[in-house]
Amino acid sequence: MPVTSTNKPSPAKSSAGGGFAILGAWLPALLVLTPLLIILWRSFQPAGEAWDQIVENRLPGYLRQTLVLLGSVTTLAVLFGVPAAWFVSVYRFPGRRFFEVALLLPLAMPGFIAAVGYVDAFRELIPVYVWIRKNWGIEAFLKSQEIAPWIFGTGVLAATLFPYVYLSCRAVFARQAAGALEAARLLGAGGFRCFATVAMPMARPAVAAGASLVAMEAVNDFGVVTHFGLVPLTPGIFRAWNEGNLVSSMRLAMILLVIVVIALGIERWQRGRKKYFTETPDAPLTRARLGPAGVATAWLACGIPLLLGFLIPGWRLVRWTLQSWDVMDWPTNLKASVNSFTLAAGATLLILVAAFAVTAAHRALRRRSLLLARQVGVLGYAYPGALVAVGMGALVSTLAFDFPGWASLALSGSTFGLMLAYFIRFLAVAIQPASAGFERLPESLHDAGRTLGAGPLRTLLEVDLPLIRPALVAGAALVFIDVFKELTMTLVLRPFDFETLATLTFRLTDESRIPEAALPGLLMVSLSLLGLIPLVRLLHDARR
Amino acid sequence: MKPNRGILHLLPLAAAAFALNANAAELNIYSHRHYPQDQAINKLFTEKTGIEVKVVNADADQLIERLKSEGENSPADLLVTVDAGRLQRAKADGLLQPVKSEALEKASAPGLRDAEGYWYPYTLRARVILAAKDRVQKDEIKSYEDLADAKWKGRLLARSSSSSYNQALAASVVTANGKDKAAEWAKAVTANFARPPQGGDRDQIKAVASGLADVCISNTYYLGLLLNSKDEADRKAGESVHVIFPNQDGRGAHCNVSASGITKHAKNVEQAKAYMEFLVTPEVQKMIANSTYEYPVSGDTKLSPTHEAWGEFKIDTETFPKMGENQPEAVRIFDQAGWK
């Protein structure tokens, strides 16, 4: 049964330990704040004529494209993710177990890799465009050329990002809404009615949470939009920076940040003040059997996103890899794999500890300021990757001024700078599930631990940690995959002779050496799949 | 902002970076070039001299920004770009130092290198017009200016204006015809595009080959790579277009260069100079002509059969020195024209 919680008075008294915890919770948030502060400070410096020119000629297009991209990708991702989650959670049909796990696979398929597969498909459509020109005239042809990149770009992004929506909805459909759905069924409601009147209203916060992740990924995307020739804000920021207009690029980033903050605000508003959890253990739903028409619909709902987001591009990669097997540069690929793996594992560990610190401190101390620390920590995800890199560059020059000799060298030319950038950018990815985990966990459990005499730290480690472990593991898996796939910041901040699978794939595709790019792409997908294993196990645990 | 000393003490990597710097037999390159052939060239250099070559690959602009932010702590000895304009800018920003070398001066034409020796070219890239053999006569287009003709509406392809190749081309049009005429040109050319710019030069050639458009702007070496590809579809695409060297009755075809300059705060100046001289040796120049299908900068080098088939052409050395200076204007013109 949904319960609306009220703010209980905090049981924790201020102490030295509390002060330390507050510091520990704020430190990650302050790190996340650093690039923002640098950008704020620098973007009020004069930008000269370059800025006027950007505002006049480029900004309207950037804004339009960003908003269209945001709207279309999120909508499509919801259309892919929600029905798939619904069928997998609520019904029994042949292939259900396969789809349940397989629908996570697109998480391991970086958008820019999938995009490469579709560039090829895009090219194979050329006879169609030529036919349009011949039969419908030049204007229709030009229109088709304008629309096609949007269809492909939106499609690729939505098909690789929808699992965020799928995951968050699955949890609701399978467990939290189970009792209500069971009751609706007993009262005679049909499948669609159950979905529309019971499941969807209950899943709305989860849809919003998943969609907000999709939205942030979409506006931060650089690889996919560049491939299809779309020009929303992120490539615009990168471009202004490339042209040497650092201040302009920072201002564009601020605009993008405002858009993202508005989107996040909408998510919060959707969620409202309601918290959905039950004080009693969740009872899994008894799955209803589907008729033949139902099975066909379920297969379509689950199969289409899976095909588009994983199977088709994956099949392309395999085909290209086999084609260019003889000319493959194995040592380079192996080295890049090790680099990618080490970076992702290291960043995940750092981020996980920080995410727990930020969310747990709030649970134990229930200070408003700690809620703020959490919200600040989440902000990093909204930063354009390119701007975290620029912010780091600016930070480095500040440091170098105070530490002549080696500060800049150590920061800009080592994996340390890269780690810090990952930390800033992806802390939110772990905080979101951790904080959702805490939200689902009744505060009474923590309070019980405290009442029985355990200190806040001990209660957190012995009561809360085991209970939110699944959420943390899910967060860790998502962070791992995100860092593994990260391209933009890695391109700029990586040290000498240091190539990750992402930068290697990007470089090779940029040089149109597509068949050779397939192997690092495929390796990236395969190793990202390792990161999915905890998520899959989590689903199994949930089923039990 | 007070930096956190605690964080910096945690950096064992800094010590490693120091140790690397102390090693004399090495050369650190910031490079925009990243072809497999470059690795082969570097390997050969190490074999011949014992100097280890370390490369950071990135966009020239990013590398320039990085050089600026690193200041005298920069580990880079040499900056390699594929655009003379970027090197002209790096020189103006005080990021390079001059080098005097007879071998380098002898290797390239005076019009194609820095007069004060701040940077020297080692490959040449011609930006030309390619047209579908079965749909466009070779004499239908004679100049870059002809691309503005409305008869090419929906028939022309070019990559994004963020490409330094296009910016350099537009800068040359600005130098040759003045700002206003160049702006009109860019606008008319953009209006002729068959699709919003996307992909690289090779993608434009392939799209022309498949019938999406009839004409495109491309560097010749991309065509060379297609013509010599292992992939049959690539070769067929390459064979379906002819090369038109524009403005042969006037200023000549627009060319850019791959070039290198020693950084202001280079720690391995001698090694960097040796590397630059190595790049213009006949051996390396021949490697370039036969692998990347760029033009070797040294006129004595024997060209590949692919180059021979395209024929000789006149290079635009007239607008070349102003490439960097007029690049901001070129960007402005592209923006106003809506060339994405």
Side-chain angles (χ1 to χ4, degrees):
Chain A
M1 188 193 307
V3 171
T4 310
S5 87
T6 50
N7 277 336
K8 292 175 197 158
S10 160
K13 289 263 178 285
S14 285
S15 65
F20 191 69
I22 289 174
L23 191 72
W26 266 102
L27 193 69
L30 287 178
L31 269 179
V32 166
L33 223 44
T34 315
L36 183 64
L37 291 176
I38 292 170
I39 291 159
L40 267 175
W41 164 51
R42 294 288 302 264
S43 49
F44 287 105
Q45 291 176 351
E49 208 189 320
W51 174 245
D52 299 335
Q53 196 189 319
I54 286 173
V55 170
E56 194 185 331
N57 296 311
R58 298 186 197 168
L59 190 59
Y62 287 163
L63 288 177
R64 199 178 56 240
Q65 295 216 7
T66 304
L67 294 177
V68 172
L69 194 73
L70 198 69
S72 57
V73 172
T74 340
T75 309
L76 197 56
V78 167
L79 288 178
F80 282 156
V82 176
W86 171 251
F87 279 108
V88 159
S89 312
V90 176
Y91 293 107
R92 241 182 320 158
F93 57 93
R96 192 197 69 84
R97 272 162 187 263
F98 163 77
F99 281 123
E100 183 177 43
V101 173
L103 281 163
L104 295 176
L105 293 178
L107 278 179
M109 176 67 69
F112 70 95
I113 301 287
V116 178
Y118 286 103
V119 165
D120 192 42
F122 187 74
R123 217 169 26 223
E124 277 156 28
L125 278 177
I126 285 178
V128 178
Y129 306 130
V130 174
W131 183 87
I132 290 176
R133 182 167 57 196
K134 224 183 224 164
N135 292 280
W136 296 348
I138 193 102
E139 294 302 331
F141 164 76
L142 291 174
K143 203 89 221 150
S144 76
Q145 290 305 299
E146 257 176 57
I147 295 168
W150 279 101
I151 294 175
F152 278 90
T154 303
V156 165
L157 280 171
T160 49
L161 296 174
F162 82 88
Y164 291 114
V165 178
Y166 165 76
L167 264 178
S168 59
C169 287
R170 235 198 66 84
V172 179
F173 292 150
R175 296 171 69 81
Q176 288 160 38
L181 282 172
E182 214 71 84
R185 265 188 206 157
L186 285 174
L187 291 168
F192 185 75
R193 199 155 164 226
C194 280
F195 175 73
T197 59
V198 179
M200 268 322 281
M202 287 191 79
R204 208 182 61 189
V207 173
S212 76
L213 282 173
V214 171
M216 282 187 275
E217 286 283 355
V219 295
N220 275 312
D221 169 73
F222 177 75
V224 176
V225 290
T226 322
H227 268 297
F228 291 112
L230 305 178
V231 205
L233 268 165
T234 293
I237 292 161
F238 216 42
R239 182 169 177 179
W241 183 30
N242 271 347
E243 288 169 1
N245 303 321
L246 186 69
V247 177
S248 298
S249 76
M250 287 179 164
R251 287 182 186 180
L252 289 175
M254 288 306 295
I255 294 174
L256 183 55
L257 199 58
V258 168
I259 293 176
V260 173
V261 168
I262 291 173
L264 273 177
I266 294 174
E267 190 251 328
R268 291 274 140 180
W269 168 68
Q270 276 291 305
R271 195 184 287 191
R273 296 188 62 83
K274 291 185 211 112
K275 292 178 184 173
Y276 292 91
F277 59 79
T278 47
E279 289 275 354
T280 50
D282 300 322
L285 186 71
T286 320
R287 296 196 177 91
R289 190 177 286 282
L290 276 177
V295 171
T297 318
W299 280 353
L300 280 180
C302 300
I304 290 174
L306 179 63
L307 268 175
L308 293 178
F310 190 81
L311 296 180
I312 293 176
W315 172 73
R316 290 272 172 191
L317 291 187
V318 171
R319 214 182 61 171
W320 277 321
T321 303
L322 294 179
Q323 264 177 16
S324 52
W325 193 261
D326 306 337
V327 295
M328 227 37 112
D329 183 356
W330 291 100
T332 307
N333 277 290
L334 186 69
K335 222 166 124 188
S337 309
V338 171
N339 287 342
S340 289
F341 199 83
T342 318
L343 276 180
T348 304
L349 199 66
L350 270 180
I351 288 171
L352 206 59
V353 172
F356 183 70
V358 171
T359 47
H362 177 246
R363 167 57 47 114
L365 304 171
R366 297 191 203 143
R367 294 265 177 88
R368 279 199 165 272
S369 74
L370 290 173
L371 196 64
L372 186 67
R374 194 182 77 189
Q375 275 159 351
V376 171
V378 175
L379 265 187
Y381 199 56
Y383 294 164
L387 245 288
V388 177
V390 188
M392 291 297 300
L395 179 71
V396 164
S397 49
T398 311
L399 283 177
F401 195 73
D402 270 18
F403 295 86
W406 51 273
S408 75
L409 211 121
L411 277 174
S412 74
S414 78
T415 43
F416 178 79
L418 203 51
M419 282 295 225
L420 197 55
Y422 290 146
F423 184 89
I424 291 166
R425 175 89 170 73
F426 295 123
L427 181 61
V429 180
I431 286 187
Q432 296 254 18
S435 109
F438 269 118
E439 263 172 52
R440 277 189 50 189
L441 208 62
E443 287 175 349
S444 52
L445 285 175
H446 182 87
D447 295 346
R450 300 291 300 279
T451 314
L452 290 169
L457 189 64
R458 197 174 150 204
T459 313
L460 281 174
L461 292 180
E462 290 182 8
V463 177
D464 296 285
L465 183 59
L467 286 167
I468 70 151
R469 201 189 53 139
L472 285 180
V473 172
L478 291 174
V479 171
F480 183 90
I481 294 170
D482 268 336
V483 173
F484 212 79
K485 294 193 288 192
E486 211 287 328
L487 175 69
T488 316
M489 300 187 303
T490 318
L491 267 179
V492 188
L493 292 171
R494 71 203 156 117
F496 269 118
D497 278 332
F498 189 90
E499 197 107 64
T500 66
L501 287 172
T503 61
L504 184 64
T505 313
F506 179 80
R507 179 164 66 77
L508 293 171
T509 36
D510 194 43
E511 292 164 20
S512 299
R513 290 158 66 187
I514 307 250
E516 286 165 78
L519 178 65
L522 203 60
L523 284 172
M524 183 161 22
V525 174
S526 317
L527 290 175
S528 295
L529 286 174
L530 281 182
L532 282 181
I533 291 174
L535 274 182
V536 173
R537 285 186 50 186
L538 198 69
L539 283 181
H540 276 262
D541 289 349
R543 201 192 292 148
R544 277 207 305 271
Chain B
M1 195 186 314
K2 192 74 190 154
N4 184 342
R5 277 157 211 267
I7 290 177
L8 294 175
H9 285 307
L10 290 173
L11 292 173
L13 285 155
F18 249 137
L20 283 177
N21 251 13
N23 186 348
E26 74 165 26
L27 174 65
N28 290 312
I29 301 176
Y30 278 11
S31 176
H32 193 155
R33 280 180 69 96
H34 35 61
Y35 302 101
Q37 292 78 13
D38 296 329
Q39 288 167 22
I41 290 170
N42 292 347
K43 210 173 142 201
L44 190 65
F45 178 70
T46 305
E47 273 168 23
K48 295 208 162 178
T49 61
I51 299 170
E52 201 191 333
V53 180
K54 295 190 155 235
V55 184
V56 157
N57 286 125
D59 247 33
D61 292 313
Q62 287 168 14
L63 294 171
I64 289 174
E65 283 308 308
R66 189 153 160 178
L67 277 176
K68 275 190 208 163
S69 80
E70 286 169 341
E72 61 185 62
N73 299 316
S74 176
D77 301 309
L78 197 70
L79 176 66
V80 177
T81 78
V82 290
D83 171 35
R86 297 300 194 280
L87 279 167
Q88 288 163 355
R89 213 177 90 198
K91 178 192 171 190
D93 288 341
L95 298 171
L96 302 178
Q97 58 173 292
V99 56
K100 187 105 184 103
S101 157
E102 220 172 279
L104 288 171
E105 278 168 21
K106 225 181 89 196
S108 55
L112 296 173
R113 60 177 146 88
D114 183 61
E116 294 163 304
Y118 277 79
W119 52 264
Y120 292 90
Y122 66 100
T123 81
L124 196 70
R125 295 142 161 235
R127 193 144 188 83
V128 299
I129 297 165
L130 302 178
K133 279 180 183 164
D134 56 344
R135 281 158 291 165
V136 181
Q137 296 299 313
K138 217 172 174 180
D139 56 1
E140 266 186 87
I141 308 179
K142 287 200 150 59
S143 67
Y144 300 108
E145 285 76 6
D146 287 348
L147 293 172
D149 194 313
K151 82 183 226 195
W152 302 111
K153 184 173 180 192
R155 299 171 66 191
L156 171 65
L157 289 176
R159 71 197 290 177
S160 161
S161 66
S162 62
S163 149
S164 63
Y165 304 146
N166 280 343
Q167 292 174 2
L169 172 62
S172 82
V173 176
V174 171
T175 312
N177 304 334
K179 279 184 204 175
D180 297 338
K181 283 210 169 140
E184 278 169 34
W185 172 80
K187 208 167 186 172
V189 169
T190 308
N192 286 340
F193 283 163
R195 68 174 177 197
Q198 56 189 276
D201 281 359
R202 260 180 287 208
D203 298 309
Q204 318 307 325
I205 304 173
K206 286 179 186 172
V208 168
S210 63
L212 188 76
D214 298 335
V215 183
C216 71
I217 303 172
S218 169
N219 287 350
T220 47
Y221 76 92
Y222 285 113
L223 180 62
L225 289 170
L226 284 183
L227 287 168
N228 293 281
S229 166
K230 280 188 197 140
D231 186 346
E232 201 198 331
D234 282 357
R235 289 197 301 274
K236 273 199 172 152
E239 280 155 13
S240 73
V241 296
H242 28 224
V243 178
I244 298 166
F245 289 104
N247 301 67
Q248 292 302 293
D249 303 332
R251 62 183 186 268
H254 167 73
C255 288
N256 211 329
V257 292
S258 277
S260 60
I262 300 179
T263 61
K264 176 99 180 272
H265 302 291
K267 274 122 202 138
N268 306 300
V269 174
E270 282 313 308
Q271 287 86 339
K273 188 178 165 193
Y275 183 78
M276 289 168 83
E277 287 173 344
F278 171 71
L279 291 176
V280 294
T281 54
E283 188 178 7
V284 175
Q285 289 286 300
K286 213 173 151 194
M287 273 172 92
I288 288 166
N290 287 311
S291 57
T292 61
Y293 300 97
E294 291 164 280
Y295 286 94
V297 80
S298 164
D300 311 335
T301 315
K302 186 168 162 34
L303 292 171
S304 76
T306 305
H307 290 101
E308 302 267 354
W310 296 334
E312 290 192 358
F313 66 100
K314 180 180 175 187
I315 298 172
D316 173 8
T317 48
E318 198 180 298
T319 67
F320 188 88
K322 296 225 168 186
M323 208 181 278
E325 193 184 315
N326 281 331
Q327 189 247 345
E329 187 59 38
V331 171
R332 188 161 28 239
I333 283 170
F334 278 143
D335 273 350
Q336 283 162 357
W339 184 329
K340 293 203 172 113

